[in-house]
Amino acid sequence: MPERRTPHEDLVDHLVRSTPLGRGEAARVVLDVLAYFDETTEEFVRRRHRELRARGLTNEGIFERVAEELPHRAVAPPTLSLRQLRRIVYG
């Protein structure tokens, strides 16, 4: 039976050639990275709010930091105001 190829096998092949990762490990890394960047803007804002809140940051600091991080996402969302960020978290 032929080996089943996934859409990202070229990336898995590259990771196997360029790192000490085995094929299974490289495939898991690719899936983890894809899942990370598959988050919606709202999911990202909520997750980062939880993470930063757990570190003891206040909302003021959290929303400013999230606003700075958003443009650096793989597919940058539109610029959101601090008020829009608050609404994502608190409705």
Side-chain angles (χ1 to χ4, degrees):
M1 179 169 251
E3 179 181 327
R4 186 168 172 229
R5 307 250 326 149
T6 63
H8 304 288
E9 285 299 315
D10 57 331
L11 181 54
V12 172
D13 292 341
H14 171 73
L15 289 173
V16 169
R17 284 190 310 270
S18 64
T19 70
L21 296 175
R23 183 158 211 78
E25 294 168 313
R28 281 193 303 279
V29 167
V30 168
L31 292 177
D32 284 348
V33 169
L34 291 172
Y36 176 82
F37 286 114
D38 196 35
E39 277 183 316
T40 65
T41 299
E42 290 80 7
E43 290 167 338
F44 172 78
V45 169
R46 288 183 189 110
R47 177 178 60 79
R48 288 300 289 148
H49 183 269
R50 282 191 310 273
E51 292 170 353
L52 296 170
R53 175 62 92 185
R55 290 189 196 170
L57 275 73
T58 63
N59 275 343
E60 182 178 345
I62 290 170
F63 292 123
E64 287 176 8
R65 184 159 174 182
V66 170
E68 291 171 4
E69 292 176 355
L70 278 171
H72 302 287
R73 300 284 295 164
V75 177
T79 302
L80 300 174
S81 69
L82 299 181
R83 182 177 180 175
Q84 288 171 307
L85 294 172
R86 284 185 188 92
R87 283 185 176 214
I88 288 172
V89 173
Y90 295 113

